[in-house]
Amino acid sequence: MKTRISLAALITMMLLVTFSCQQEKKSTIDKKWWKEAIVYQIYPRSFSDSDGDGIGDLKGIISKLDYIKSLGVDVVWLNPIYSSPNDDNGYDISDYRAIMKDFGTMEDFDALLKGMHERGIKVVMDVVVNHSSDEHEWFKQSRSSRTNPYRDYYHWWNADKGKPNFRYSLFDINHDAWKYDSLTDAYYLHYFSRKQPDLNWENPKLRQEVYAMMKFWADKGVDGFRLDAFQFAAKDTTFPKFPDGFEKDFMKYYAVGPHLHDYLQEMNKEVFSKYDVMSVAEGAGNSFEDAHNMVDADRSELNMAYAFDGVDIAKPQGYSVNHFKEVFSRWDSAFADKGWLSIFLANHDQARMVSRFGNDQPAFRDLSSKMLSTFIMTMRGTPYYYFGDELGMTNAGFEKIEDYRDMPSLNEYRHQKDIGGDIPKLLEQLKFSCRDNGRTPFQWDTTMNAGFSTGKPWIQVNRNYRTINQAQQEKDPNSCLNYFRKLTALRKSHPELVYGKYALLDKANDKVYAYTREFDGQTVVVLLNFSFTEAETTIPNDLKNATLLLSNYGNTAIPQGKTVTLRPYEAMVLKL
Ligand code: GLC
């Protein structure tokens, strides 16, 4: 029998084939393990101490590998674990190929990496190469004479040329980034502390040393790199004068200097392209254009942008939910078609998520913490989740300066003392925003020092460890911890939460953040009440036939219709 196909049917068929090829192409081309991954950030100093010296260590992490696995995360980002005099808790590296004594040995590291890999968890290393420690051999050489072969590994300004133009230091007690060194009658540059001299990326020899060092770790089998403060690495070495007061807006002058993209492309060619590793840099420049230039796949630089606009929203006096929605929506739409983002509300440089973005009062702590975790795990972008947030750990809120350990905060205290500044005001600020709030030891149980250490912890344990701890939450099916596990499982089983298009709903609502995530014909609706009162939201979708995937309240009924009343800090994830 002869089959006759009309022209219209033929065209329709061709269109369908093209469309499904495109769909296919889209789903295969865009899929990457680092997009599907959930990153768990560990601050090793505060996770678990195996030898009783009060400092967390690698063996401590090894002893908790099964716990980490139980969270359902795929990648662990370790804050720096290299040799360091610890002026800035490891962000001042004196040997990039050795392990910090406080943390253990290279054998411990190898065992840690093996243990992670055996459990299917990848490891991302923190690479601190905008600067090194002043105790690094390169700097010791560099400092020793003006003609030393390592002189150009750092930025020196000979005093015969007069004083260099002012550069602002983020960490220095006087905020002056040039430190005079009488040994060679010259100034060296340090954007961070005096013990963190900036490396000279304009020197190709230095760059090759860094790539070789990164390959050393990649050859060991690490799975990714987080580049610390890298947006500051490239500099105009003529050090022109910046306008007076530039320090109030220093990012504009420091971020993405000349040749930064050349260095990233070179690093990609020399290191990233040779391994199956993920790459992310701290900071994303000053504009979407900067961020795209760092991460668009066709440029071969980095995998994803890590921008601060989101975490910068929280202020001691509170923040506007609409502002929060606006910032995250704006970033999402700028990356809707190209590039990839990181999603996070905390890290080791921030105070605790629940204290900044949620409500750490006992009545709302768990609810708001779970709600914020729901946000992180249902947005587009790779989630970076900070250790301890899975328990709803809160700010320590130290009262006395003696309780703080953070070098820049202590320097600022001394600076304010010197200039007769407002000390009570500074202490108030530190209580809310000092990064030590997020660095107190992990709260494992109700035993001494929250089970973190048998010795005196390097920083005080949060007083609330008897109420908030892992042992107790392990037993409670409704704990933050067990809710977090449900969230990671949910993200893993719903590709729409990874790849799905994001659309903001009920835009003007100043209490509820509502959005959909849609992929391959599947739609998930997320409803989040960011307030401590009941709040109503009306969305375009009728929810009466929806399936409830997750809720942070025990007894949640499926909403009937398009208008939903959410209880305080309620979070609901539904499938249409
Ligand atoms: C980055 C790190 C921070 C460190 C600074 C200097 O911002 O995240 O912890 O103090 O760089 O290395």
Side-chain angles (χ1 to χ4, degrees), residues 125-230:
M125 299 291 275
D126 212 321
V127 176
V128 189
V129 285
N130 169 70
H131 46 270
S132 73
S133 161
D134 65 340
E135 296 183 34
H136 193 290
E137 188 55 30
W138 296 338
F139 190 74
K140 289 187 193 159
Q141 295 285 336
S142 181
R143 216 194 135 202
S144 65
S145 90
R146 286 189 181 187
T147 52
N148 185 284
Y150 287 91
R151 186 67 168 180
D152 289 343
Y153 273 45
Y154 296 85
H155 296 285
W156 289 96
W157 184 272
N158 291 339
D160 349 334
K161 294 196 279 176
K163 267 193 98 170
N165 284 317
F166 176 66
R167 286 295 179 269
Y168 169 73
S169 163
L170 282 87
F171 287 1
D172 191 73
I173 184 161
N174 298 321
H175 299 301
D176 184 353
W178 289 109
K179 168 95 173 72
Y180 178 70
D181 190 23
S182 60
L183 196 65
T184 54
D185 190 30
Y187 299 84
Y188 68 85
L189 186 74
H190 60 93
Y191 277 2
F192 293 92
S193 90
R194 291 172 194 181
K195 287 187 66 62
Q196 295 170 296
D198 282 40
L199 287 161
N200 178 8
W201 272 78
E202 285 61 45
N203 180 348
K205 273 210 233 133
L206 174 270
R207 299 204 298 272
Q208 289 307 322
E209 296 251 26
V210 171
Y211 307 146
M213 173 273 283
M214 291 171 81
K215 283 195 247 176
F216 166 83
W217 290 99
D219 287 338
K220 269 187 174 292
V222 309
D223 308 282
F225 298 100
R226 176 254 183 194
L227 303 177
D228 179 73
F230 198 72

Side-chain angles (χ1 to χ4, degrees), residues 77 79 88 91-92 126 128 131 171 192 196 226 228-229 282 308 347-349 407-408 435 439:
W77 154 24
N79 288 103
D88 187 19
Y91 281 94
D92 47 320
D126 212 321
V128 189
H131 46 270
F171 287 1
F192 293 92
Q196 295 170 296
R226 176 254 183 194
D228 179 73
E282 182 194 23
F308 286 106
N347 62 35
H348 65 292
D349 291 328
M407 171 266 294
R435 51 192 194 165
R439 296 178 175 185

Side-chain angles (χ1 to χ4, degrees), residues 446-460:
T446 55
T447 63
M448 188 181 65
N449 302 322
F452 160 71
S453 171
T454 53
K456 185 169 184 281
W458 70 276
I459 189 168
Q460 269 177 44

